[in-house]
Amino acid sequence: MSLTKPGARGLQVESMALADIAATFGTPCYVYSRAALVAAYQAYRDSLQAHGLVDRSLICYAIKANSNLAILKLFADLGAGFDIVSGGELARVLAAGGKADRIVFSGVGKSREEMRLALEAGIHCFNVESASELAQLNAVAVELGRRAPVSLRVNPDVDARTHPYISTGLKTAKFGVAFDEAFDLYQRAATLPGLAIKGIDCHIGSQLLDPAPAAEAADKILGLVDRLAAAGIALDHIDLGGGMGIQYRADEPAPPAAYYLGPMLERLADRKESLVFEPGRSLVGNAGLLLTRVQVLKHGEAKHFAVVDAAMNDLMRPALYDAWHDIVKVGAGDTAAAAPMPYEIVGPVCESGDFLGHDRELALQEGDLLAILSAGAYGMAMASNYNSRPRAAEVMVDGAQAHLIRRRESVAELFALESVLP
Ligand SMILES: *Cc1c(COP(=O)(O)O)cnc(C)c1O
């Protein structure tokens, strides 16, 4: 399913022309489709349904992919839980109306304060990533007179075969507890008075398109669950993380959810434990785009540059991972024909790494609108104010309406927290 479709006034999202969104809210601007968000959640749910697992599954949206309150509220209303990695994310979920008892808390470096806040809120489970964190969480819980619900995030040592920056399940990763140490650590956790062992967790990486690594990880985790049960440590739930990949290029379709999840879900069909999943990118990535306007065309000796008003501070993935995003012309109100040529699509930031796309064959004029596709995940969430650039506005389209879900920052807000010496 493509997010944009041609209309009378150029490309549109649902029934809203992108040109109208740019005119109303300015550029750069993130645009999300409510219908596409719902469809992505539903596709995940349908795969669980197909394996008879939906009634004992909790889909915990990994909010670091995109933590706008409107998106969190939408998923909360659909029945989702949430996977958080900080106290800030906890506050966001609660502010959006998410239920604490549907939150799992991941991350390698939770502070004691974050542990305390999450315990007091009454979250579903802590995904504990080290022996030391286990001891610290126990101490915080004892101090509060509570028992912290815990899973160990176990590193199954499976190669997810994705970009090294988003591969998390190898022995060399900073994430999780080594597979060979997990059994002993569970036994130790069972002796700690501030902990209640609930489950097990693993998450091997992101933007995964091949179903085999996730299925292999599930096999290893299930084997460990059975060994633990035989030793008297019965787990209530199994959390198999997120990681399902999305389509970034028109010519490289991503497999459907059912294909990616199928082999993993087959292995869970006749288990009794309840299940947790932590999808992030796959619920939001293809449901958003970054709308930007061409400021300047610059024809150098070796390259043609289209300098647009979005930059690496708005969408960091190309600079960070050399990631590809399709870039298309919105095509509203173009009059004179421009000649197609290969453009470097770059932002105004003072870094040579500030590019959004290399070598894109486009017919451009200054003032044209471009849509940078598949930018709903790890786009706005990773945005910064580098070069004192206010972060972009965010808009959610619902049918023929566009709702502003985050207004553009003002320049004054950028330095409002700073002070000079007396
Ligand atoms: C980032 C993350 C996710 C979500 O990953 P996606 O690839 O966006 O689905 C899930 N669980 C944990 C622990 C994460 O860090």
Side-chain angles (χ1 to χ4, degrees):
M1 194 189 71
S2 170
L3 185 62
T4 58
K5 55 183 184 230
R9 298 188 19 76
L11 290 182
Q12 56 188 57
V13 166
E14 299 192 30
S15 307
M16 265 306 292
L18 287 171
D20 291 340
I21 291 177
T24 307
F25 302 105
T27 53
C29 177
Y30 275 98
V31 181
Y32 310 108
S33 156
R34 183 183 188 281
L37 292 163
V38 172
Y41 182 80
Q42 203 53 47
Y44 216 94
R45 213 171 170 276
D46 287 349
S47 296
L48 296 172
Q49 182 90 59
H51 292 268
L53 299 173
V54 82
D55 293 333
R56 57 188 169 95
S57 293
L58 182 58
I59 301 175
C60 290
Y61 168 54
I63 86 164
K64 76 175 192 286
N66 187 326
S67 56
N68 184 289
L69 293 193
I71 290 176
L72 302 186
K73 174 72 162 69
L74 180 63
F75 286 136
D77 288 347
L78 292 171
F82 297 94
D83 174 38
I84 61 166
V85 293
S86 72
E89 289 193 346
L90 173 63
R92 275 186 177 275
V93 170
L94 298 177
K99 299 238 178 4
D101 62 4
R102 293 177 159 254
I103 293 174
V104 296
F105 191 171
S106 305
V108 286
K110 302 173 189 79
S111 71
R112 286 176 180 243
E113 179 62 8
E114 288 174 323
M115 291 173 181
R116 192 179 62 73
L117 287 171
L119 267 170
E120 286 180 338
I123 66 166
H124 186 62
C125 199
F126 289 84
N127 291 335
V128 171
E129 305 215 15
S130 65
S132 181
E133 183 190 337
L134 205 60
Q136 289 185 28
L137 180 58
N138 176 62
V140 173
V142 167
E143 223 172 85
L144 290 176
R146 294 181 183 243
R147 300 190 82 173
V150 296
S151 286
L152 290 187
R153 175 169 175 182
V154 176
N155 187 335
D157 195 27
V158 164
D159 186 355
R161 296 188 280 277
T162 185
H163 189 286
Y165 287 12
I166 50 175
S167 183
T168 57
L170 280 171
K171 268 187 185 158
T172 50
K174 71 174 176 179
F175 298 101
V177 173
F179 190 82
D180 296 336
E181 290 163 24
F183 187 87
D184 288 351
L185 207 50
Y186 268 105
Q187 289 194 308
R188 185 169 152 57
T191 68
L192 296 176
L195 304 182
I197 296 174
K198 292 291 176 191
I200 191 164
D201 168 49
C202 87
H203 171 73
I204 59 170
S206 198
Q207 187 51 21
L208 311 182
L209 299 169
D210 173 359
E216 187 187 334
D219 281 337
K220 291 186 89 167
I221 294 295
L222 293 174
L224 181 55
V225 172
D226 293 339
R227 275 171 56 214
L228 286 166
I233 299 177
L235 303 184
D236 298 335
H237 77 247
I238 300 171
D239 178 342
L240 289 166
M244 183 163 81
I246 63 165
Q247 177 165 7
Y248 280 105
R249 303 177 70 122
D251 54 358
E252 285 176 17
Y259 173 85
Y260 176 80
L261 295 172
M264 175 173 81
L265 298 183
E266 274 165 25
R267 291 159 162 80
L268 303 168
D270 36 75
R271 309 268 325 178
K272 57 183 189 332
E273 297 88 356
S274 55
L275 303 169
V276 176
F277 300 92
E278 305 170 350
R281 186 190 310 272
S282 58
L283 298 190
V284 292
N286 286 143
L289 59 80
L290 177 57
L291 186 59
T292 183
R293 197 179 286 283
V294 177
Q295 302 289 96
V296 168
L297 293 180
K298 192 170 164 182
H299 302 282
E301 258 177 47
K303 302 238 183 220
H304 305 288
F305 293 95
V307 186
V308 300
D309 63 5
M312 65 185 286
N313 74 295
D314 299 299
L315 180 62
M316 198 187 186
R317 299 187 67 260
L320 184 61
Y321 315 120
D322 204 15
W324 175 285
H325 287 263
D326 279 346
I327 301 177
V328 296
K329 260 176 77 161
V330 169
D334 299 353
T335 44
M341 54 186 82
Y343 279 104
E344 296 293 301
I345 311 292
V346 301
V349 163
C350 302
E351 298 275 347
S352 293
D354 178 29
F355 72 94
L356 298 163
H358 290 306
D359 206 15
R360 304 303 175 90
E361 190 75 15
L362 290 163
L364 296 179
Q365 300 179 80
E366 292 178 355
D368 280 352
L369 285 172
L370 297 176
I372 304 173
L373 303 180
S374 303
Y378 306 108
M380 184 62 175
M382 284 184 168
S384 78
N385 295 119
Y386 189 40
N387 279 206
S388 286
R389 290 168 49 84
R391 278 177 293 175
E394 290 179 289
V395 166
M396 196 187 298
V397 174
D398 184 10
Q401 281 191 308
H403 302 277
L404 184 65
I405 59 170
R406 190 179 202 273
R407 72 165 167 79
R408 186 178 309 285
E409 282 173 338
S410 71
V411 169
E413 283 168 318
L414 300 190
F415 48 80
L417 305 180
E418 298 167 29
S419 31
V420 297
L421 296 186

